[in-house]
Amino acid sequence: MKKVSDIPSPSSTPTAESVTPTIFEMSLPDKEADLDCDEKDRAALEAKTPTPLEYPEGGFGWLVVFGAFMIQFCGFGFNFSWGVYQEYYLAENIFPGATLSQVSWVGGIGASSVFLTGPFQASMTRRFGLRPMIAAGAVISSTGIILASFTKELWQLYLTQGVLFGLGAGMSILTSIAIPVQWFNKRRGLASGISVAGSGIGGAALAPMNRFLISKVGFRWALRVMGLSFVVIIFSVLVCIRTRIPIGRRGGPIFDFSLFREPGFVTMYFMGVLVTFGYLTPVYLLPNYVTDIGMDPKTGATLVSIFSAVNAVSRVILGIAADKFGRFNILALCTILGGLSCYIFWLNTHNLAMAVVFVIFYGANGGGFVSLFPVVAAEVIGVERLSAAVGLLYSSNLFGNLLGTPIASAIVTASGGSYTWAIVFAGTIPILGAILLLTHRFKIEKRLFVKV
């Protein structure tokens, strides 16, 4: 027989104002329970005790997935095609005297700036709302790309195609990335895989498109076309973005440092720090690498396109695999295989055939980090807290995206143009991140062949 003291107190459960009726169905106390309280207390308890979140597993959720897909298409897709611009800037000496290491900072700054607003994301979303944040991000990123077309000095490119583009893209991406998982449970890996596949499809489409535009109208007008297109695309899919979990009241904490008291969150955070030091390095350096071994510059853009296409497909497949075999298991496995592919294939790439083998294998496994990182985070943190935590969690990606490719480029320069140690660097760091994740996975379940 239950007593009043056995029932969660109102202070420990969500208030009526913070719970949306369409998300939570209000639960009734057990009819057989003997509640030693008056009718007022009973009514209060009934109104304040929610049942667990239910998931539609589809419906409007697929439109949410599509909206997130297109935002990733524009943001990360353009990021993936940076190698095309980097190769062109160096080959045509657009910025006289600039070295590979100096130019590569543009890509690093752009990729890292995506996560610059991460720690503030939850606070800004509470204050301004989901769609205004995404719209503002689209305007800022497009403005950065367009302003890059007017640059004369390399430092100006750091600020425009680097900081401004990345900052705006991050506002849109980080706001939308946690929304699809709110609509799915059994298909969460699939939904997340499809939504983040937008970056791979974007890279596959935009790398050759940028190369084509540069050859036809020059890099300045190519940038302007990209900037204008992105703002139109993102504004058109805003109607698809809808959350199922209340954002919360204004005035919450800017940084929720309580998350760092949870071992799972700390593990995910430092995995994000490590993996991103190597993740984009092959994508950014490959166009220069293939020209250095005697291939045509167009080949570099084609390889980036192949990588992005395979990457996009693999994100969906790995999402399905994660739902079936365990999200921790698949994330760790594909991250390790992506790192090993740098040792096995990239180190031995001296012709087009081996280059294609490398981008296919790396693309098939490297995409798992992007597609499954938010899925495993939802397991660790809980879906209800994910929207508030995702920005802080993704701020971990800032350091590696900023420094990874410039460090690898500096290694190439210091090695007299040899890519060997840069490749070793790019392959080793993600493996270390996967090992860190495995330490937490084996704390949950010590048996190896078990779904986790």
Side-chain angles (χ1 to χ4, degrees), residues 194-242:
I194 294 173
S195 63
V196 298
S199 59
I201 297 295
L206 296 181
M209 185 180 296
N210 276 292
R211 186 75 214 178
F212 173 79
L213 287 172
I214 289 171
S215 66
K216 294 299 181 182
V217 298
F219 84 94
R220 298 190 187 278
W221 270 106
L223 288 168
R224 292 163 193 164
V225 169
M226 289 292 106
L228 291 172
S229 300
F230 291 165
V231 75
V232 171
I233 291 171
I234 293 177
F235 269 73
S236 67
V237 299
L238 282 177
V239 67
C240 298
I241 302 300
R242 182 188 299 174

Side-chain angles (χ1 to χ4, degrees), residues 92-117:
E92 300 299 323
N93 201 27
I94 300 299
F95 303 100
T99 65
L100 168 62
S101 180
Q102 291 170 329
V103 174
S104 69
W105 274 99
V106 180
I109 293 170
S112 62
S113 294
V114 169
F115 307 100
L116 200 60
T117 62

Side-chain angles (χ1 to χ4, degrees), residues 58-72 176 179-181 183-184 187-188 190-198 240-242:
F60 192 85
W62 292 119
L63 284 178
V64 176
V65 168
F66 173 73
F69 174 96
M70 293 308 300
I71 292 170
Q72 296 255 353
S176 63
I179 305 303
V181 300
W183 293 78
F184 300 87
R187 298 176 176 175
R188 185 174 295 161
L190 173 62
S192 179
I194 294 173
S195 63
V196 298
C240 298
I241 302 300
R242 182 188 299 174

Side-chain angles (χ1 to χ4, degrees), residues 255-302:
F255 304 105
D256 187 1
F257 288 114
S258 66
L259 290 165
F260 284 99
R261 291 199 292 266
E262 300 185 15
F265 180 86
V266 173
T267 299
M268 293 296 296
Y269 190 89
F270 284 103
M271 181 196 183
V273 172
L274 287 171
V275 172
T276 48
F277 268 91
Y279 176 65
L280 288 176
T281 298
V283 184
Y284 285 172
L285 291 188
L286 207 56
N288 288 96
Y289 179 82
V290 295
T291 56
D292 285 354
I293 62 175
M295 297 186 203
D296 188 89
K298 292 182 180 178
T299 304
T302 302

Side-chain angles (χ1 to χ4, degrees), residues 298-351:
K298 292 182 180 178
T299 304
T302 302
L303 289 172
V304 172
S305 181
I306 294 172
F307 162 82
S308 300
V310 173
N311 190 277
V313 174
S314 76
R315 293 179 185 190
V316 179
I317 295 173
L318 290 172
I320 297 171
D323 289 337
K324 184 172 183 179
F325 299 108
R327 291 149 188 172
F328 280 90
N329 296 339
I330 299 299
L331 175 57
L333 178 63
C334 66
T335 304
I336 290 172
L337 291 176
L340 288 176
S341 70
C342 293
Y343 287 99
I344 298 169
F345 300 115
W346 194 9
L347 274 176
N348 297 294
T349 294
H350 307 293
N351 52 51

Side-chain angles (χ1 to χ4, degrees), residues 7 12 32-33 89 103 110 158 254 277 280-281 322 325 358 383-384 405 427 433:
I7 300 172
S12 65
E32 298 179 359
Y89 292 152
V103 174
Y158 291 160
I254 295 177
F277 268 91
L280 288 176
T281 298
F325 299 108
F358 168 63
V383 175
E384 291 80 2
T405 303

